[in-house]
Amino acid sequence: MENLSRFRTFLHKNKGTIGLLILCITLIWGYAWILMKEALNYMGPFTFSAFRFGTGTLTMLVVLSVMKIGLPPKDKWGHLLVAGILQTSIVFLFVMYGLRFVDAGKSSVLLYSMPIWSSLLATKFLQERIPRMKMIGLGIGLLGLLTILGWDIWMNQNSRIIFGELLIVVAAISWGASNVYYRLKLLDVSQLQVNTYQMLFGTLGIIIASFMVEGGDPVHLTGESIYYVLFTGVLASALCFTVWFFLLSIIDMVTATISTLLVPVFGMFFGWLLLDEHLTPSIIIGSFLILIGIFIANIAKKKA
């Protein structure tokens, strides 16, 4: 714990290091979308999610053990179960299944519309008032979402792609709901405990789904597929979130939220670079609208 305190002091004095860490985290998360897409060549989407978050959960339990952080309060276990279902089970079951039909770059943009849904749900359940500029930002973000979805509905008319996109939008809404639920029920629990145990409960839900849906499907464990599991489980899920929650104790939430907008940008770039995914005008225009909308909404929140 003393080393963590020293590291926190170092970061306070070296703001450039904070920016570098944020850049590395969002770069890893953006690249992880490509690995999630490629992993479908070796196993079913639910099975991969079970491997990924099972590995991530074990890593987080080791982190808590090393940091000598005990169990969360008993009265919070039920809330952690709900958070795990919303944050891990629903989000990544729907995202991984949607990736069977939707490009990795477009999927990352749709999922990172999450701040829009978080804000809308917060007005309902947290009684947060939306300032005028924030409402404008949310409207622009929703317009961007409709630009991406609408093009496929009216021009491509591929029911499989539309179905996959809708699954990922539902995942984004579930992610937003988990953020609101966290603020309602788990705000007084250590963020590392929340991340570890919601992931634990969420992983159990994913394992059950994988046995029910893909129990007899083949799993090809090769050097490449194991790399996908370890990278997304240990690095992208466990370690990056550990560093991320640590940074959240140093930087303000608005800066953190705005910085996550780099993830879909990197996701689209790697999709184009490594998977030869096409960046259509609707994806580019819609993506910029979503990013601009979320940026305006967060600037309005900061001013408020």
Side-chain angles (χ1 to χ4, degrees), residues 34-49 51 96 100 214 216-229 275:
I34 308 305
L35 304 188
M36 289 159 59
K37 180 75 171 180
E38 288 292 276
L40 299 179
N41 296 320
Y42 298 91
M43 63 192 77
F46 297 172
T47 303
F48 172 75
S49 295
F51 277 121
M96 287 304 302
R100 298 180 66 179
E214 301 170 353
D217 294 350
V219 176
H220 302 289
L221 291 178
T222 65
E224 197 167 2
S225 63
I226 292 174
Y227 164 71
Y228 296 156
V229 170
L275 301 181

Side-chain angles (χ1 to χ4, degrees), residues 9 18 39 53 69 94 105-106 110 121 130 132 141-142 150 178 190 209 219-220 228-230 237 249 255 287 293 295:
T9 302
I18 295 177
F53 288 102
I69 298 176
F94 281 34
K106 186 193 290 187
L110 293 176
L121 290 170
I130 301 182
R132 181 179 179 183
L142 287 172
S178 74
S190 163
V219 176
H220 302 289
Y228 296 156
V229 170
L230 292 179
S237 297
S249 67
T255 302
S287 300
F295 180 79

Side-chain angles (χ1 to χ4, degrees), residues 252-278:
D252 62 275
M253 186 64 68
V254 174
T255 302
T257 305
I258 292 176
S259 65
T260 62
L261 303 184
L262 290 172
V263 177
V265 174
F266 287 137
M268 287 189 296
F269 171 74
F270 284 123
W272 167 77
L273 180 66
L274 301 176
L275 301 181
D276 294 324
E277 294 180 352
H278 298 292

